[in-house]
Amino acid sequence: MKLDRIFIFFILLLLGILFYWVCYLGYNQESYRKQQTQTTDPSIVKNILMSEEKHKNLGLQSSPGFLYSQPSLLVGRTDVVSVTPWLAPIVWEGTFDSSLIDSMYKKKNITIATTVFALGKYTRFLKEFLESAEQHYFVGYRVRYYLFTDRPEEVPEIKLGEEHYLTILKVPSMDRWQDISMGRMEILEKLTKSELASEADYIFCLDVDAKFYGPWGVETLGRLVAVIHPWFYGYPRDQFTYERRPESQAFIPAGEGDYYYTAAAFGGTFKEVHELTKYCREQQSIDASKATEAIWHDESHLNKYLLYNKPSKLLSPEYLWRDISMRTSQVKVIRLSHVAKNNEEVRQNA
Ligand code: 5GW
Ligand code: MN
């Protein structure tokens, strides 16, 4: 009888230990599983993959066996300068190997957003602009055009190349150049902040009164990209048409300045273009509140921004030439050129 009791006691004790052990194991497995679900949370995985993707985008990788001309340290363009004093490249024909950089960017699956404004009578420039872009602009890469217009019905039907897309966005009509100039910066400021930003890697903002004549490709990509104005590249800095009146926010004192940049083409990453356009819009509205307007509107503010926030890459006047009929020995390839326009006629939007 006594033995029986001891036996039952031991059985119960064993069962107790067993029960405790099972519970303990179960708990451990539960927390183990929790940890696992935490690390396999799909959004986290997506983020990791995306940052890896972005990281990969930073580097340029060439492939073993891919042959190209040997880069020279002794022979190259000597008629033009191809690097700034802060060591940003200035892109001219003959300073890059397009087959090499194409082979490296092709692997990266990048998207280039491109904005263009066509308000009022400027819709007439769209056909030539878009058709020529389709011949020369980032051919073989994904391009998303964002076209802002008050006359969507006047946008021509253009056959777009593979992976080139056009989004038409209607904006209110504006007649005064001050409104268009500031409105453009404000729209770009918003666009570069919106969720669209995640749909593209780089952005270029271009004037519509222009036509492509030569290739504009991945050699132009960079963090903050500015284009040298085609009229002033040989001038001393004090003859640049910077804003010289201290009452404007765009004021640049005599003796300062690097280059004179055009507002007709600029670009970079969404973050950088957001900062630039935000700055211009803010400075333009400060001026407006004091009934002041910078001499060359957004271009004056853009030049001030780029003087103190150095661009990481500069494009030579090949990338926005004055007029296709004008030639100069330094510009060996005209890639984009202003088209002749009758300002008086096109700027009357009524
Ligand atoms: C431009 C000047 C005065 C009044 C209106 C305009 C204007 C500019 C317009 O009526 N519609 C329009 O779409 N724009 C946009 O601003 C175009 O994208 C144009 O390319 C850009 C800059 O204006 P531009 O090209 O006349 O300036 P410039 O300095 O290249 O001659
Ligand atoms: Mn223009």
Side-chain angles (χ1 to χ4, degrees):
M1 191 67 190
K2 208 178 173 193
L3 255 172
D4 269 7
R5 280 205 186 158
I6 291 170
F7 185 70
I8 286 168
F9 173 76
F10 267 105
I11 293 283
L12 282 176
L13 190 71
L14 268 174
L15 278 173
I17 290 169
L18 200 70
F19 181 72
Y20 179 77
W21 184 63
V22 166
C23 286
Y24 178 76
L25 255 187
Y27 167 78
N28 255 5
Q29 260 186 0
E30 184 66 19
S31 63
Y32 172 72
R33 222 179 293 136
K34 253 192 211 150
Q35 267 178 11
Q36 265 213 332
T37 44
Q38 260 169 22
T39 49
T40 52
D41 181 333
S43 70
I44 292 174
V45 171
K46 198 174 149 213
N47 280 347
I48 292 169
L49 288 177
M50 271 171 69
S51 69
E52 272 173 8
E53 185 71 18
K54 294 278 173 206
H55 186 70
K56 212 170 66 195
N57 273 344
L58 293 175
L60 287 177
Q61 293 160 341
S62 79
S63 303
F66 181 81
L67 300 180
Y68 51 94
S69 308
Q70 182 190 343
S72 177
L73 285 164
L74 304 174
V75 180
R77 293 269 315 241
T78 51
D79 57 336
V80 289
V81 174
S82 58
V83 65
T84 69
W86 60 92
L87 298 176
I90 307 173
V91 183
W92 298 87
E93 178 68 2
T95 61
F96 60 94
D97 181 334
S98 45
S99 74
L100 170 62
I101 47 180
D102 255 332
S103 77
M104 297 187 293
Y105 276 95
K106 271 281 152 65
K107 301 183 205 165
K108 287 154 69 86
N109 188 29
I110 50 166
T111 303
I112 301 104
T114 301
T115 63
V116 61
F117 288 75
L119 285 105
K121 292 184 181 169
Y122 278 65
T123 51
R124 69 179 58 179
F125 299 111
L126 279 169
K127 191 171 175 354
E128 246 188 357
F129 175 86
L130 287 170
E131 272 176 357
S132 64
E134 285 306 291
Q135 296 293 310
H136 300 292
Y137 185 71
F138 287 108
V139 176
Y141 293 89
R142 195 177 307 110
V143 171
R144 293 189 187 279
Y145 297 103
Y146 296 98
L147 163 57
F148 297 92
T149 183
D150 57 339
R151 299 182 181 182
E153 67 284 356
E154 288 182 12
V155 177
E157 283 260 344
I158 306 278
K159 199 184 164 328
L160 297 174
E162 208 180 315
E163 290 241 73
H164 283 210
Y165 308 95
L166 174 67
T167 305
I168 302 166
L169 297 144
K170 191 165 194 269
V171 291
S173 297
M174 291 176 263
D175 299 329
R176 294 170 58 242
W177 170 235
Q178 294 93 310
D179 298 332
I180 296 178
S181 163
M182 196 156 70
R184 184 163 72 154
M185 285 300 178
E186 195 177 341
I187 287 169
L188 295 175
E189 176 191 350
K190 285 186 186 142
L191 178 84
T192 47
K193 207 187 171 186
S194 71
E195 70 275 19
L196 290 175
S198 60
E199 283 182 25
D201 303 275
Y202 298 97
I203 180 167
F204 274 106
C205 310
L206 305 175
D207 260 22
V208 72
D209 59 332
K211 182 178 171 180
F212 289 88
Y213 293 91
W216 177 315
V218 287
E219 74 280 3
T220 62
L221 297 177
R223 185 177 56 78
L224 179 58
V225 183
V227 182
I228 307 283
H229 195 291
W231 286 101
F232 305 103
Y233 62 86
Y235 282 44
R237 50 156 76 109
D238 284 336
Q239 284 176 37
F240 291 160
T241 54
Y242 288 151
E243 176 55 70
R244 299 299 190 187
R245 297 166 307 157
E247 57 267 32
S248 167
Q249 293 293 312
F251 172 60
I252 294 175
E256 289 191 43
D258 299 316
Y259 309 97
Y260 190 77
Y261 303 108
T262 178
F266 57 89
T269 61
F270 273 66
K271 185 179 173 294
E272 292 287 342
V273 173
H274 178 70
E275 294 304 324
L276 179 148
T277 52
K278 179 169 177 273
Y279 172 88
C280 291
R281 196 267 308 154
E282 280 170 358
Q283 303 305 306
Q284 279 179 292
S285 53
I286 295 172
D287 273 4
S289 73
K290 294 191 281 186
T292 305
E293 169 77 9
I295 178 166
W296 287 104
H297 326 286
D298 49 346
E299 191 166 83
S300 307
H301 297 282
L302 175 119
N303 269 280
K304 182 160 180 181
Y305 183 85
L306 293 170
L307 172 58
Y308 302 120
N309 301 272
K310 304 291 193 211
S312 66
K313 184 176 275 188
L314 275 68
L315 306 183
S316 71
E318 295 168 10
Y319 290 85
L320 189 72
W321 189 237
R322 310 168 188 183
D323 174 350
I324 188 66
S325 64
M326 283 187 193
R327 295 284 167 163
T328 174
S329 67
Q330 292 90 21
V331 173
K332 305 212 181 292
V333 179
I334 296 174
R335 302 168 191 283
L336 178 63
S337 183
H338 262 295
V339 297
K341 69 178 188 294
N342 179 343
N343 281 342
E344 294 216 335
E345 210 257 320
V346 289
R347 288 175 180 176
Q348 272 173 4
N349 289 330

